[in-house]
């Protein structure tokens, strides 16, 4: 089937493209390369260097007539979001509306939308399920939540299917250091370059880290399942930032200690998402444990593009021993 993937040169969606192609789908990528990388693009995709906010997006739909849209293009840089909330809203909300409008106009059958734990805001209870109130505290969270409402409205006004996936902190090969949830890639980059890492607060804050291959699995399941549903994609487990730091430090055989600095304004202390709905509706579960996912990600920092994504490939792979500090 023909699938249009927005943000397909970025971290998460480039892995989705690879999997879609591997299982025989035709893949069209729309990306403006603002944070995407050319080397992430699978050579078998048809690529359009187009902004999702651009009226010219219509001609991509007219030309390609995709059956499914998987929407990951977004402004995900947290600092940029704070400095320029209007731009954030423009790309993430207005750009999404442009995409949904074209999807409706050109008779797309289903949209899969990458939303975020950021839509929940400060937890009223832990772990947060999909019924938890959505009270985003960040401009980014607001800009990711608004398209969810637009999707509900589009689906009820006109008949098309959608699934909203709310990811916790995604990590893995190809992740940048400026995007949402980039703490693992920041620590790994620093260890690889023998540089110190900053830990905000005392490091006891916890997050729910999900490996990118598991996120890919969830998107593939959504091609057939979870119509009209909103589903958390997470591990259901909390890991403290300090625990994470020391697990990565071991992998890089480093002696560097973290540098503690003041907690950032607006940072949530604990956050993890319940994934029982995904288990039930999508028949999905996370397959990659944090220790394995961290090893696979660390391999990427050694071997770059050629490192394996899947845990099965991991057997027999070893970290090169060049990362001593
Ligand atoms: N990384 C995470 O932990 C995480 C967590 C929750 C949700 N998400 C969501 O997942 C999606 C992908 O995130 P990622 O971490 O892979 O980020 P990423 O920056 O690696 O990928 C985003 C891609 O979108 C492209 N893009 C940005 N603005 C665009 C525009 N106006 N038009 C066309 N393309 C544009 C970028 O060039 C990039 O290739 C985002 O929607 C993000 O909100 C990510």
């Amino acid at each position: 089937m023909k699938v249009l993937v927005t943000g397909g040169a970025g971290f998460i969606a480039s892995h989705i493209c690879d999997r879609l192609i591997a299982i025989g789908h035709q893949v069209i990528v729309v990306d403006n390369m603002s944070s995407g990388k050319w080397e992430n693009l699978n050579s078998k995709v048809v690529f359009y260097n187009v902004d999702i906010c651009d009226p010219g997006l219509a001609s991509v739909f007219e030309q390609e007539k995709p059956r499914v849209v998987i929407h990951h293009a977004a402004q995900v840089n947290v600092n940029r979001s704070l400095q320029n909330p209007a731009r954030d809203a423009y790309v993430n909300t207005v750009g999404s509306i442009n995409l949904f409008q074209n999807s409706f106009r050109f008779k797309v059958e289903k949209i899969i939308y990458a939303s975020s734990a950021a839509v929940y805001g400060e937890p009223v209870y832990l772990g947060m399920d999909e019924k938890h109130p959505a009270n985003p505290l960040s401009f980014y969270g607001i800009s990711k939540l608004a398209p969810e409402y637009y999707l509900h409205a589009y689906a009820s006004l006109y008949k098309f299917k959608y699934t909203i996936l709310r990811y916790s902190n995604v990590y893995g090969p190809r992740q940048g250091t400026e995007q949402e949830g980039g703490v693992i890639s920041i620590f790994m980059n620093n260890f690889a370059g023998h540089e110190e890492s900053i830990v905000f607060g005392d490091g006891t804050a916890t997050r729910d880290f999900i490996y990118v291959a598991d996120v890919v699995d969830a998107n593939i399941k959504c091609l057939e399942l979870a119509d009209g549903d909103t589903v958390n994609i997470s591990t259901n487990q909390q890991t403290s930032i300090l625990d994470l730091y020391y697990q990565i430090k071991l992998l890089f055989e480093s002696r560097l200690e973290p540098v503690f600095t003041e907690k950032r304004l607006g940072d949530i202390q604990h956050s993890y998402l319940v994934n029982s709905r995904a288990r039930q509706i999508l028949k999905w579960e996370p397959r990659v444990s944090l220790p394995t996912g961290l090893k696979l990600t660390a391999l990427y920092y050694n071997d770059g593009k050629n490192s394996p994504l899947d845990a099965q490939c991991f057997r027999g792979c070893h970290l090169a021993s060049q990362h001593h500090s």
Side-chain angles (χ1 to χ4, degrees):
M1 123 170 72
K2 204 181 245 194
V3 184
L4 187 150
V5 181
T6 70
F11 159 49
I12 300 172
S14 65
H15 289 296
I16 295 172
C17 292
D18 290 348
R19 181 78 67 79
L20 285 168
I21 284 164
I23 59 177
H25 295 290
Q26 265 181 288
V27 179
I28 316 301
V29 166
V30 168
D31 199 302
N32 69 353
M33 302 309 281
S34 53
S35 63
K37 296 202 177 105
W38 292 104
E39 67 261 31
N40 290 349
L41 274 175
N42 190 301
S43 59
K44 297 206 171 105
V45 304
V46 176
F47 176 67
Y48 289 86
N49 193 337
V50 170
D51 195 301
I52 54 164
C53 307
D54 194 324
L57 186 65
S59 54
V60 178
F61 277 81
E62 193 167 25
Q63 174 83 19
E64 300 293 345
K65 307 237 169 31
R67 269 179 68 191
V68 173
V69 168
I70 300 185
H71 178 30
H72 280 67
Q75 196 305 104
V76 290
N77 181 311
V78 178
N79 287 332
R80 219 170 286 154
S81 164
L82 288 170
Q83 283 154 15
N84 192 352
R87 174 72 193 157
D88 213 53
Y90 186 62
V91 174
N92 298 353
T93 301
V94 179
S96 294
I97 298 168
N98 190 30
L99 185 76
F100 301 159
Q101 184 66 19
N102 279 297
S103 301
F104 153 67
R105 196 174 144 206
F106 292 97
K107 301 193 172 21
V108 165
E109 286 168 26
K110 176 153 188 180
I111 294 179
I112 299 165
Y113 170 57
S115 187
S116 164
V119 304
Y120 291 118
E122 186 72 48
V124 177
Y125 57 83
L126 282 169
M128 291 182 280
D129 55 15
E130 294 82 355
K131 292 198 179 86
H132 185 283
N135 286 321
L137 286 177
S138 60
F139 303 133
Y140 170 75
I142 299 168
S143 73
K144 292 297 292 182
L145 179 60
E148 293 194 11
Y149 290 114
Y150 276 94
L151 266 182
H152 296 310
Y154 267 102
S156 71
L157 287 170
Y158 318 112
K159 280 205 174 70
F160 64 65
K161 302 181 215 161
Y162 69 90
T163 306
I164 295 164
L165 297 177
R166 290 177 176 163
Y167 304 153
S168 61
N169 287 46
V170 188
Y171 72 98
R174 301 183 191 158
Q175 184 167 31
T177 50
E178 292 182 330
Q179 282 91 334
E180 183 192 5
V183 61
I184 290 177
S185 64
I186 292 169
F187 285 168
M188 290 208 180
N189 254 308
N190 289 343
F191 279 123
H194 312 299
E195 283 174 21
E196 289 174 328
S197 293
I198 290 172
V199 168
F200 297 99
D202 60 4
T204 56
T206 59
R207 292 290 181 272
D208 176 337
F209 296 101
I210 179 102
Y211 188 62
V212 67
D214 287 326
V215 173
V216 172
D217 284 350
N219 276 270
I220 300 300
K221 296 261 186 183
C222 288
L223 294 174
E224 308 291 342
L225 298 167
D227 293 343
D229 242 300
T230 301
V231 186
N232 287 342
I233 299 300
S234 64
T235 62
N236 217 8
Q237 280 167 12
Q238 300 182 79
T239 305
S240 79
I241 302 301
L242 219 47
D243 180 12
L244 183 73
Y245 181 90
Y246 284 110
Q247 287 195 48
I248 299 173
K249 179 180 146 129
L250 261 183
L251 285 174
F252 282 81
E253 299 174 12
S254 169
R255 288 194 210 105
L256 286 169
E257 287 298 317
V259 177
F260 291 94
T261 188
E262 260 178 52
K263 203 179 153 187
R264 283 179 305 188
L265 196 69
D267 265 0
I268 288 166
Q269 182 65 10
H270 298 293
S271 170
Y272 78 98
L273 304 185
V274 167
N275 62 16
S276 45
R277 193 159 181 81
R279 288 174 187 270
Q280 187 196 340
I281 307 254
L282 290 178
K283 316 276 178 253
W284 168 95
E285 59 179 5
R287 292 181 297 133
V288 183
S289 69
L290 185 63
T292 303
L294 288 179
K295 281 180 198 157
L296 289 164
T297 310
L299 273 174
Y300 170 75
Y301 284 88
N302 281 290
D303 299 342
K305 241 183 134 195
N306 299 323
S307 62
L309 181 68
D310 280 320
Q312 291 94 315
C313 315
F314 184 64
R315 266 178 261 125
C317 295
H318 298 286
L319 273 175
S321 55
Q322 69 217 42
H323 288 303
H324 294 281
S325 62

